Amino acid sequence: MADTLRVGVVVFPGSNCDHDVYYVCKHQMGWRTRFIWHKETDLRDLDLIILPGGFSYGDYLRSGAIARFSPVMHAVTRFARKGGYVLGICNGFQILTEAGLLPGALLRNASLRFICRDVFVRVERTDTAFTSAYSPGAVLRIPIAHGEGNYTADADTLRRLEESGQVIFRYVTADGRLDPEANPNGSMHHIAGLLNDRGNVLGMMPHPERAADPVLGRTDGLGLFASLAESLVGAALKR
Amino acid sequence: MAPVALEPEVSRELARAHGLSDEEYDRLLEILGRKPTYAELGMYAVMWSEHCSYKNSIAVLKTLPRSGGRLLVAAGEENAGLVDIGDGLAVAFKIESHNHPSAVEPYQGAATGVGGIHRDVFAMGARPIAALDSLRFGSLDKARVRYLFEGVVRGIADYGNAFGVPTVGGEIYFDPVYEGNPLVNVMSVGLVRIGETARAAARGPGNLVVLVGSATGRDGIHGATFASETLQDDQESRRPNVQVGDPFTEKLLLEATLEALRTGAVVGLQDMGAAGITCSSCEMSARAGTGMRLYLERVPLREADMSAYEILLSESQERMLLVVDRDRIEEVQQVFHKWDLPAVVIGEVTDTGLVEVYYHGELKAAVPARSLVLGGGAPVYVRQARMPAYLKQTRAFQANALPVPEDLQATFLQLLDSPTIASKRWVYEQYDTMVRTNTVVGPGPSDAAVIRLKGTRKALALKVDGNGRYVYLNPRRGAQIAVAEAARNVVCAGARPLAITNCLNFGDPYNPEVYWTFREAVAGMGEACRVFDTPVTGGNVSFYNENPQGRIYPTPTIGMVGLIEPFPERLMTADFKSEGDLVLLLGQNREDIGGSEYLAWVHGLVAGDAPYLDLEEEKRLHELLLELIASGLVRSAHDVSDGGLAVALAESCLFGNLGARVRLEDPIRPDALLFGEGQSRVLISARPDDLSAIVSRARDFQVPVQVLGTVGGDRLKINDWIDLPLEAIRRVYEFAIPRRMQAHDSAG
């Protein structure tokens, strides 16, 4: 029986934030953490799967467009359909949209440039497995690092996402206001992070694993990992 | 079937066309005892090119301190230098230029520069953990310069970001002398366990020679030769000499190479950069005193009809040459296949001392490996040197004749608007500065980047530095300053300087004036390195940075590595921390505006001598500052450099988002006091209670110290010369570069 969360971090060829999130899960959270090679298909030993940032398969075509066809993604899709928890960060978010696990798409940043800097995001809901440790409306300082993070969806999808409260993080000013200046990449509705309708798959462009260590000067991402610990360890124990 | 390639008849004329002098061709005939084949001619031409042989620089470079201290591998022995940082860890690092390719095709030129230097580092078995860039461009008022700037930055960004190594620091100067000859120097820093390093030697006759990574194409043929010539006006025709980068394959190559090394079955390996298979096979054989027999038809090709000559000289990127234990080849191949990379046995190690190259059964080349390489048979020249005539004029400059500007505040703002001084945010926000989650201090509020080493109490402080204008005005002192400032920068981050790598960017070495500046600069660098006990671990020389329109300043850039330990206690940054802290200056203000950005940007004058520097005084400053930081007496430390004291004050204010009230009382002309670039000065802030302790330590180290003022408020006030809200300063400082780039974006 698991006495701790069992986490898998997928390694696609070209993933480059895999070790970063692994470090937080294993060494800071103390979770039982392993890497999942992109050709693996048996994920039954896991409670949480993380799709890390990077440039899967080089992303020369369109971010995530090739990764969605990899053997592991078929397994991740099955895992999610059974209610398993999946977190996609940056390239992971892009892959989740390409794979149809989350709606919409991430287009090139409005500036047409790669952007790496701290942004502020507001936590829109705290009744989810990914955000329960945050206080409602909390504003987090978390870095982004992407060239394609401009969230786009058709009007119906956006309306549905808003109505069902699936927008979890929004780009805001330091004091929590929605302002075009605070939207780094042109995302519709300032969307920085999105939950699926079942509440077990989260995709986000900001990098919580880069804001999880006091020595690096940023800790606002830790709440996400703390939320997962709080929400899932109990669930894991019950299995 | 063997492709039929028509090979030109080898002749003295053809040798000349390959860049070989008559003397060199005679030497080649003597070595072989016969006329070379076409392939052999190509091999010698590229290996004896300036780029690969260092023939016009090595005699001078050997005068640098290249061993001692914590150096584990002396310069030139391996792909990159190696420095012991304790706890069984070593740092491998090197800086390299990609100037010529970037002048022609900025995006790919810069991208492959990043890829090439990282490969040098992971070929040592080290995992690259950080990159820094030293860039030089002309004026941003020129459309061509903006195109080069934009392309180089994108190239560095796209390659580095995808490869997954943070670009954590750098420096950029803009000056018209770099207009046709931009400089792109990239430094890679890697970490390796001592004992797990890889060697670039082909030991063990019978072992197998394995080519891994990308397929070989026609890109970059003669890249090394191209880099060994002056740029001409027809540079567009040189585009095919520029290689094309593939960071995804490089990432796979990195992971696969490090994994393959862990098997213990890899005997040696070398990156394939300049001169491709030729260089790696000859150098690895020469180092081990062995030879190789290669079968080129086994090399995976992008184009089927390539000749032996082309395959030998291709500079296709993302390739590596391995020598593998003959009995364990399958283990190694399995690793590369796991990463979907070809790993093809293309030959074996022999004991003949010859590199023998077969193509479809035909012997295309049989050359003594040692005869081609640096330190072996490659030519070594000492060129004629003559002090440049221009120095008479620049040194005749009399600052007294120059009026002090009436409105010093306007001058201050004008200086902050110089792209050389201004914030480089426009650049570094395009770089992933944080991947690998070790970046404690990235670009911005510090004099050096700081990378923590997970699982230890150590961090590295990293800096690239080099003011070409100083070196132009006084090659020896200018190069001393480059080392001194880089060392001061890592000291300001709380680190003890360990070692340097250098990239020496100069004009045509056959010009006696250029050669003199080169010799002088290397001498100055050596003097400084001896004083700071920072040996040179290796580096790169880039000559021929000139074109028919002009020549660059002699520009040696220094890549410095320092160690912060214990970390994080000893970490220091440049931002003011608290209201009420005292602002202090360590070091002496001097009436010295020579070579300053103020003189160049405000008055349009590149004149005078390089700024004042005394190496012993500088060394005492470093020791004092390290002592003060260790004692917890310093709250911020910022080096006074480009733009002088006024800019240093402004930066510490902007970084900390805190104002300051400052009173400068030295009896020297106000523009020199505000904007002069005299060396060996550091601006610190400290708690008022600690003042007496600081003064007493400073006396022990014989370093002058003076209180300049107090941190606080939201304005910067200096005497009655400058009084500005921080936001007004920030606007100018932050928008100098974006404003110049955007103004033209919309114009299309």
Side-chain angles (χ1 to χ4, degrees):
Chain A
M1 170 182 288
D3 52 358
T4 175
L5 213 54
R6 298 166 305 173
V7 181
V9 177
V10 176
V11 181
F12 297 103
S15 293
N16 62 29
C17 303
D18 44 349
H19 284 268
D20 302 352
V21 73
Y22 177 91
Y23 180 83
V24 175
C25 293
K26 181 166 177 101
H27 298 292
Q28 292 185 243
M29 301 307 295
W31 294 339
R32 194 172 303 168
T33 309
R34 72 172 179 92
F35 288 114
I36 305 170
W37 187 238
H38 66 118
K39 289 174 182 167
E40 276 188 55
T41 52
D42 185 356
L43 307 176
R44 284 173 301 182
D45 60 319
L46 300 167
D47 305 310
L48 169 68
I49 291 172
I50 300 179
L51 307 180
F55 291 74
S56 51
Y57 304 93
D59 276 346
Y60 289 127
L61 174 56
R62 190 177 67 238
S63 296
I66 295 179
R68 65 168 286 209
F69 294 108
S70 68
V72 76
M73 279 313 294
H74 295 294
V76 169
T77 302
R78 280 196 302 276
F79 178 86
R81 296 235 162 94
K82 285 185 188 161
Y85 284 84
V86 179
L87 168 64
I89 302 168
C90 197
N91 191 225
F93 187 9
Q94 294 161 343
I95 295 166
L96 288 173
T97 61
E98 287 287 337
L101 286 168
L102 289 171
L106 293 144
L107 308 187
R108 287 191 70 188
N109 295 344
S111 66
L112 303 183
R113 292 182 193 284
F114 190 96
I115 304 169
C116 174
R117 63 175 165 90
D118 283 342
V119 297
F120 295 98
V121 296
R122 192 173 67 202
V123 182
E124 301 291 82
R125 274 178 61 189
T126 54
D127 59 341
T128 80
F130 298 91
T131 54
S132 57
Y134 290 114
S135 50
V139 175
L140 316 178
R141 181 170 65 93
I142 297 193
I144 55 167
H146 60 247
E148 301 180 6
N150 181 355
Y151 185 79
T152 305
D154 60 62
D156 283 349
T157 305
L158 283 170
R159 190 178 330 113
R160 204 179 63 243
L161 290 172
E162 294 290 0
E163 280 169 8
S164 52
Q166 288 173 247
V167 178
I168 300 301
F169 299 115
R170 260 187 249 273
Y171 300 110
V172 291
T173 58
D175 56 356
R177 285 177 299 109
L178 288 176
D179 182 316
E181 288 284 297
N183 185 345
N185 51 27
S187 288
M188 289 180 172
H189 292 208
H190 290 234
I191 290 171
L194 203 59
L195 195 64
N196 67 346
D197 46 10
R198 190 170 169 176
N200 61 327
V201 177
L202 176 75
M204 61 191 296
M205 289 314 296
H207 286 269
E209 81 281 12
R210 294 186 183 191
D213 194 338
V215 84
L216 302 182
R218 298 177 193 86
T219 52
D220 288 355
L222 271 177
L224 184 126
F225 297 95
S227 303
L228 287 165
E230 196 174 273
S231 316
L232 300 191
V233 171
L237 283 171
K238 271 182 244 149
R239 292 187 358 168
Chain B
M1 196 191 91
V4 184
L6 276 182
E7 294 188 346
E9 178 70 20
V10 173
S11 66
R12 192 169 287 272
E13 286 66 41
L14 190 65
R16 284 189 198 131
H18 273 71
L20 289 173
S21 68
D22 283 1
E23 178 193 349
E24 287 165 351
Y25 184 63
D26 286 338
R27 185 183 183 129
L28 164 49
L29 293 175
E30 191 186 313
I31 288 168
L32 294 180
R34 59 177 165 79
K35 200 161 90 169
T37 66
Y38 182 52
E40 288 169 340
L41 179 67
M43 293 170 82
Y44 277 94
V46 70
M47 288 302 291
W48 287 1
S49 72
E50 190 67 52
H51 189 82
C52 291
S53 74
Y54 291 76
K55 59 190 170 191
N56 289 308
S57 62
I58 189 65
V60 176
L61 294 177
K62 281 190 167 166
T63 63
L64 289 168
R66 302 198 299 169
S67 60
R70 292 169 171 239
L71 243 58
L72 292 171
V73 172
E77 275 180 27
E78 299 286 345
N79 286 309
L82 202 60
V83 175
D84 187 349
I85 56 164
D87 294 347
L89 294 171
V91 176
F93 67 105
K94 190 177 179 188
I95 191 167
E96 214 167 66
S97 65
H98 238 216
N99 304 337
H100 282 62
S102 303
V104 175
E105 213 300 293
Y107 180 87
Q108 292 295 350
T112 52
V114 175
I117 193 63
H118 281 314
R119 257 189 330 277
D120 271 344
V121 164
F122 71 81
M124 300 278 295
R127 178 175 283 280
I129 56 172
L132 297 92
D133 308 289
S134 188
L135 310 178
R136 302 289 181 278
F137 299 96
S139 162
L140 287 179
D141 297 337
K142 296 278 174 77
R144 170 82 187 170
V145 172
R146 289 193 301 276
Y147 161 75
L148 292 173
F149 179 48
E150 167 91 44
V152 164
V153 170
R154 267 189 201 277
I156 291 170
D158 283 358
Y159 203 103
N161 296 351
F163 184 54
V165 172
T167 303
V168 296
E171 49 143 22
I172 310 178
Y173 285 84
F174 300 89
D175 191 296
V177 300
Y178 300 107
E179 188 172 313
N181 285 99
L183 303 185
V184 176
N185 295 178
V186 188
M187 172 171 166
S188 171
V189 181
L191 190 65
V192 61
R193 280 206 166 277
I194 294 171
E196 293 180 9
T197 54
R199 296 220 44 210
R203 279 171 298 168
N207 283 334
L208 300 175
V209 179
V210 183
L211 177 61
V212 303
S214 288
T216 297
R218 288 197 167 101
D219 52 328
I221 290 176
H222 290 165
T225 317
F226 166 48
S228 306
E229 296 168 5
T230 299
L231 283 174
Q232 299 301 319
D233 284 334
D234 65 339
Q235 51 179 271
E236 287 300 312
S237 69
R238 290 301 200 163
R239 277 177 185 269
N241 290 140
V242 180
Q243 309 87 353
V244 175
D246 174 2
F248 172 60
T249 300
E250 175 109 334
K251 169 72 173 162
L252 303 185
L253 190 60
L254 162 71
E255 299 300 338
T257 300
L258 294 185
E259 199 171 318
L261 283 170
R262 284 196 292 273
T263 64
V266 177
V267 175
L269 77 160
Q270 181 160 336
D271 151 51
M272 272 196 238
I277 295 178
T278 298
C279 184
S280 49
S281 60
C282 292
E283 288 190 352
M284 289 185 79
S285 300
R287 273 196 202 95
T290 55
M292 280 185 193
R293 197 173 294 124
L294 304 177
Y295 306 95
L296 295 185
E297 66 278 4
R298 300 184 189 172
V299 173
L301 299 180
R302 293 180 196 168
E303 295 155 273
D305 60 344
M306 286 176 69
S307 68
Y309 176 97
E310 290 171 319
I311 297 168
L312 283 166
L313 297 191
S314 164
E315 296 187 6
S316 287
Q317 299 287 292
E318 292 89 26
R319 298 180 301 161
M320 198 79 94
L321 198 69
L322 270 59
V323 170
V324 176
D325 186 330
R326 62 192 302 181
D327 300 320
R328 300 181 63 188
I329 180 67
E330 277 172 23
E331 278 173 76
V332 172
Q333 282 179 321
Q334 262 171 19
V335 171
F336 284 93
H337 292 158
K338 172 188 158 187
W339 290 97
D340 297 322
L341 288 174
V344 180
V345 177
I346 63 164
E348 65 264 339
V349 178
T350 65
D351 59 4
T352 61
L354 296 175
V355 170
E356 297 161 279
V357 182
Y358 290 86
Y359 195 29
H360 297 291
E362 195 182 329
L363 183 64
K364 289 290 187 183
V367 294
R370 269 189 65 78
S371 72
L372 285 101
V373 305
L374 165 68
V380 176
Y381 302 124
V382 174
R383 292 282 154 211
Q384 276 192 333
R386 187 177 64 237
M387 189 170 126
Y390 71 79
L391 284 173
K392 275 217 174 85
Q393 290 166 318
T394 54
R395 286 180 180 171
F397 171 72
Q398 293 291 332
N400 302 340
L402 194 76
V404 175
E406 278 177 26
D407 187 343
L408 288 163
Q409 177 159 299
T411 306
F412 171 62
L413 290 173
Q414 191 185 347
L415 201 49
L416 286 174
D417 188 48
S418 154
T420 294
I421 300 277
S423 166
K424 308 301 184 293
R425 186 183 303 277
W426 185 90
V427 175
Y428 67 70
E429 284 192 350
Q430 297 187 53
Y431 302 152
D432 191 336
T433 54
M434 309 174 197
V435 63
R436 303 193 57 74
T437 54
N438 295 320
T439 308
V440 178
V441 181
S446 175
D447 289 358
V450 177
I451 300 295
R452 61 105 177 250
L453 305 178
K454 285 187 180 111
T456 74
R457 301 256 289 142
K458 300 173 197 291
L460 299 178
L462 309 171
K463 177 66 185 176
V464 285
D465 221 318
N467 184 321
R469 194 190 300 127
Y470 295 170
V471 184
Y472 172 74
L473 295 173
N474 184 335
R476 184 175 290 239
R477 197 196 299 156
Q480 289 178 346
I481 292 176
V483 180
E485 190 175 333
R488 198 184 316 135
N489 288 145
V490 303
V491 167
C492 283
R496 180 163 289 282
L498 293 183
I500 70 160
T501 174
N502 59 17
C503 196
L504 307 174
N505 308 276
F506 287 79
D508 178 350
Y510 290 81
N511 177 324
E513 296 194 346
V514 169
Y515 192 74
W516 186 87
T517 60
F518 174 71
R519 214 178 56 187
E520 282 290 297
V522 172
M525 188 178 298
E527 287 160 3
C529 286
R530 285 186 183 91
V531 170
F532 303 129
D533 193 21
T534 51
V536 181
T537 64
N540 165 237
V541 178
S542 171
F543 282 134
Y544 305 100
N545 291 289
E546 54 182 276
N547 60 32
Q549 281 72 47
R551 176 186 307 141
I552 64 161
Y553 293 141
T555 310
T557 57
I558 302 295
M560 175 78 68
V561 174
L563 180 65
I564 305 176
E565 188 175 27
F567 172 84
E569 293 89 328
R570 298 282 169 91
L571 172 69
M572 187 47 55
T573 56
D575 49 321
F576 285 148
K577 300 294 188 305
S578 300
E579 299 254 353
D581 280 352
L582 295 179
V583 180
L584 290 87
L585 181 74
L586 305 180
Q588 182 75 52
N589 289 321
R590 289 192 163 80
E591 183 148 340
D592 184 353
I593 55 174
S596 63
E597 179 68 11
Y598 160 70
L599 209 52
W601 182 254
V602 175
H603 296 285
L605 289 171
V606 175
D609 202 344
Y612 175 89
L613 175 74
D614 177 302
L615 288 171
E616 293 300 332
E617 180 186 323
E618 178 81 39
K619 173 73 173 163
R620 289 198 301 275
L621 173 71
H622 298 178
E623 293 302 328
L624 167 65
L625 186 54
L626 286 174
E627 164 81 16
L628 293 176
I629 293 170
S631 309
L633 296 170
V634 180
R635 307 208 69 199
S636 71
H638 189 19
D639 146 55
V640 177
S641 60
D642 306 282
L645 195 49
V647 168
L649 280 162
E651 287 179 335
S652 284
C653 287
L654 293 179
F655 297 157
N657 207 20
L658 283 166
R661 295 175 68 86
V662 167
R663 177 92 214 142
L664 303 180
E665 292 178 329
D666 304 71
I668 57 183
R669 51 186 286 169
D671 54 350
L673 188 50
L674 287 169
F675 313 125
E677 298 179 8
Q679 298 293 298
S680 311
R681 292 180 295 163
V682 172
L683 187 71
I684 64 169
S685 63
R687 291 177 201 86
D689 290 350
D690 291 332
L691 178 62
S692 61
I694 292 171
V695 169
S696 134
R697 303 276 169 97
R699 196 178 305 126
D700 296 345
F701 285 86
Q702 299 164 33
V703 175
V705 56
Q706 58 171 306
V707 177
L708 301 182
T710 320
V711 176
D714 56 4
R715 302 177 75 84
L716 173 62
K717 186 171 181 334
I718 306 177
N719 296 6
D720 52 4
W721 300 332
I722 293 168
D723 185 6
L724 286 165
L726 287 192
E727 280 320 302
I729 298 173
R730 194 185 301 280
R731 254 197 316 278
V732 176
Y733 182 75
E734 288 292 346
F735 288 102
I737 291 175
R739 179 169 73 73
R740 287 175 170 85
M741 298 306 286
Q742 275 155 14
H744 302 277
D745 270 3
S746 46

